[in-house]
Amino acid sequence: ILSNELGRPINIHRWRFLEHSDPDRYAMLLKAHNLQRKILETGQSIVEKEALLQEEEKKYSKIKSSIGHMSTVVDLRAQLAHYSSAIKTKTSQIEKLNAELLVSRRKMEALQR
């Protein structure tokens, strides 16, 4: 019994024992662990990138909706033409009223004399 205990110590991990008894199997076990670690790291990276992608998509949709509410160049040109014609109309009306005011003032001055 004592010889068995010396051949296999109690406080040794089974993989360490496997390292000495079957090195090929131990190498395969290490490769499997490394691959599992890489899979977990890659999965975490994918989750982070998906979260970043969702944030960017939210920003894109927000910008797209704000651009959709903006007027187009054609609309702005039509508004500008409308406003400029309205300004011309109002300017001509003001000139007519100023002329009428001048005539009325002259009449008033003539009547006061």
Side-chain angles (χ1 to χ4, degrees):
I1 298 177
L2 212 50
S3 62
N4 286 343
E5 292 286 328
L6 289 174
R8 185 171 181 175
I10 294 174
N11 291 333
I12 191 167
H13 197 273
R14 62 184 175 194
W15 295 331
R16 298 281 182 202
F17 183 73
L18 188 63
E19 180 180 10
H20 297 292
S21 65
D22 193 359
D24 292 335
R25 186 175 282 175
Y26 180 73
M28 294 297 274
L29 183 66
L30 287 179
K31 284 182 183 179
H33 283 199
N34 286 335
L35 289 174
Q36 287 175 344
R37 183 177 39 81
K38 285 181 182 179
I39 288 171
L40 289 174
E41 290 172 356
T42 304
Q44 183 64 28
S45 173
I46 289 172
V47 168
E48 292 171 359
K49 288 180 181 179
E50 284 178 348
L52 183 63
L53 180 65
Q54 287 177 353
E55 289 179 23
E56 294 297 323
E57 285 177 348
K58 286 179 184 177
K59 288 179 186 177
Y60 172 74
S61 63
K62 193 174 185 180
I63 290 171
K64 188 175 179 181
S65 67
S66 67
I67 287 174
H69 293 25
M70 291 183 181
S71 300
T72 62
V73 174
V74 175
D75 294 338
L76 292 175
R77 285 184 181 163
Q79 284 180 345
L80 182 62
H82 173 71
Y83 291 144
S84 65
S85 67
I87 288 173
K88 286 178 184 178
T89 305
K90 295 295 180 183
T91 304
S92 66
Q93 287 176 354
I94 289 173
E95 289 173 355
K96 287 178 186 177
L97 288 174
N98 280 335
E100 288 178 15
L101 181 64
L102 185 63
V103 168
S104 296
R105 281 187 183 163
R106 287 185 181 159
K107 283 182 183 178
M108 187 177 73
E109 287 175 1
L111 290 175
Q112 284 179 354
R113 291 184 190 168

